[in-house]
Amino acid sequence: QVRLVESGGGLVQAGGSLRLSCVASRIFFSINAMGWYRQAPGKQRELVATITSGGTTNYADSVKGRFTISRDNAKNTVYLQMDSLNPDDTAVYFCNVKGSNRLSEYDYWGQGTQVTVSS
């Protein structure tokens, strides 16, 4: 079973920084993209940032210029550097992996890590 382990969440004051990490293991397919999504209380899960195996990135407008996604393909690890955090960034952050092999396409989620930004 594919396993995604997130780390790096926590409590930070507004204006501060956090770095999230997600390690994917037991992968049995080619990873096409890795990314981060978030879900705040009472809201739907939303895209934060994604990065393809080739390094193409995509960001939500709300985090552009503040967050940076990167990945280490050899380690199946994706990172999210979050700077200039504000209370609106408070949410559970989920790691996501999308991939495929000759049999099917795959889409896996981590358990989530809490990020809380105090004002």
Side-chain angles (χ1 to χ4, degrees), residues 14-81:
S17 298
L18 284 174
R19 188 186 192 220
L20 305 182
S21 299
C22 173
V23 180
S25 60
R26 304 174 188 172
I27 299 295
F28 58 91
F29 48 83
S30 295
I31 295 177
N32 298 325
M34 302 182 77
W36 292 93
Y37 294 71
R38 67 186 181 187
Q39 187 167 16
K43 295 186 177 181
Q44 290 188 331
R45 190 172 298 188
E46 63 177 6
L47 177 145
V48 176
T50 61
I51 184 167
T52 69
S53 57
T56 300
T57 57
N58 181 45
Y59 294 93
D61 287 343
S62 60
V63 307
K64 283 181 181 177
R66 299 188 299 122
F67 291 10
T68 303
I69 190 170
S70 61
R71 64 184 283 181
D72 184 332
N73 289 338
K75 297 180 179 179
N76 286 339
T77 301
V78 63
Y79 306 97
L80 186 67
Q81 178 66 40

